[in-house]
Amino acid sequence: MSSTPFAADPSGSAAVPPPPWRKSARPTPRRPLSTEAVVEAALRIMAEEGLAGVTMRRVAQALGTGPASLYAHVRDKQDLYELMLDEVFADAPVPVPDPGRWREQLREHTVMQVRVLLDNPGSAEIAMRTAIPTTPRLMAQMDAQIGILRAGGMTLEAAGAAGDLLALYGTAFAFEQEMRGGPGQAAGTEEVSRRIGEIIGYLRSLPQGVFPHLAALVGGMASERVDPMRHFEYGLDAIIAGIERAAERESGA
């Protein structure tokens, strides 16, 4: 037997095809790494695993690269979070302030923002962690809101304070719904329902007359499913009514 090693390509020309039972390695096209690709991957992870699953290492893994490669496109995880939140609002309309219907606009704009957060579980937590957004879409939303408040006759300082109040209320509501497994957040619903059932049972076990108003309220919650958005909009209307009175005082009306 010859000791000459077997040549895979004796002719030295075309490569010898592999046998049909052996899979050959096929090159897979890799999408060029970009800020958009990083954000897109992070949003997919957030939708599937929650915000806690969005780490630089996990995003890099999803993109088939190393974590160090991401830092050429995002400064850090907080920067990535803000870019994710900006993308979440990609299709959100930006209203043009109308003095003739500023109250309705303010309500519609705030409800729209909350629904965007609820439709993208994890985004409300990002909003809570973000001091002042500096991405284009989020700044456009903030500018429109201030413009609506200014159209209602508020000073710039008052409009800023009212905008902060609305943002805090809307974001906190959406974040609470995430924690409770409410709209847009299926995970944890069973655990929350179980806990609420325990609390209702405890309140009902108390002697009659102890915390009667609280017991009546919680009892009503047990008898019918309360729409969280109805509660949110009640509070929103109360806030806007207060903003309107403040605007009237400033204008001397």
Side-chain angles (χ1 to χ4, degrees):
M1 181 180 291
S2 171
S3 61
T4 304
F6 175 78
D9 185 7
S11 66
S13 54
V16 176
W21 61 84
R22 183 176 302 141
K23 292 184 179 180
S24 60
R26 295 181 180 179
T28 56
R30 177 183 293 181
R31 179 179 175 182
L33 199 60
S34 64
T35 302
E36 292 75 16
V38 172
V39 172
E40 182 182 315
L43 286 172
R44 284 198 306 270
I45 293 169
M46 183 172 75
E48 297 169 2
E49 305 173 21
L51 184 60
V54 181
T55 64
M56 301 299 273
R57 183 176 298 278
R58 179 69 183 86
V59 174
Q61 180 185 32
L63 292 169
T65 186
S69 301
L70 304 186
Y71 291 102
H73 304 280
V74 294
R75 184 176 63 183
D76 51 29
K77 189 164 70 172
Q78 181 59 36
D79 187 36
L80 174 58
Y81 279 177
E82 291 186 35
L83 291 170
M84 291 166 62
L85 188 60
D86 191 74
E87 183 62 27
V88 161
F89 278 87
D91 298 324
V94 180
V96 177
D98 180 358
R101 59 183 304 272
W102 72 270
R103 302 166 193 80
E104 293 81 0
Q105 274 194 316
L106 194 59
R107 189 181 197 279
E108 292 165 2
H109 187 240
T110 306
V111 170
M112 177 275 294
Q113 290 181 313
V114 168
R115 290 195 182 279
V116 169
L117 295 177
L118 292 176
D119 289 342
N120 296 273
S123 57
E125 183 175 350
I126 295 177
M128 292 290 284
R129 292 172 176 266
T130 305
I132 301 176
T134 57
T135 52
R137 295 185 183 107
L138 297 181
M139 288 194 294
Q141 293 292 337
M142 292 167 60
D143 187 74
Q145 185 180 63
I146 294 171
I148 293 170
L149 289 161
R150 294 278 282 158
M154 305 199 78
T155 65
L156 190 58
E157 181 181 0
D164 285 344
L165 174 61
L166 289 165
L168 179 60
Y169 176 57
T171 304
F173 169 80
F175 182 65
E176 182 183 48
Q177 294 307 305
E178 285 186 10
M179 296 301 99
R180 291 186 175 185
Q185 178 72 14
T189 301
E190 292 183 4
E191 173 61 24
V192 171
S193 297
R194 182 192 66 77
R195 179 59 178 154
I196 290 176
E198 288 178 345
I199 294 171
I200 291 173
Y202 168 69
L203 288 171
R204 286 178 171 173
S205 71
L206 294 175
Q208 189 173 3
V210 176
F211 308 131
H213 306 297
L214 181 59
L217 175 64
V218 176
M221 290 171 60
S223 62
E224 59 175 317
R225 180 171 176 77
V226 178
D227 179 10
M229 285 301 295
R230 189 173 71 184
H231 279 194
F232 169 74
E233 292 182 25
Y234 174 86
L236 178 60
D237 288 338
I239 291 173
I240 292 177
I243 290 173
E244 183 176 7
R245 286 195 297 272
E248 290 172 351
R249 286 196 302 271
E250 290 186 2
S251 63

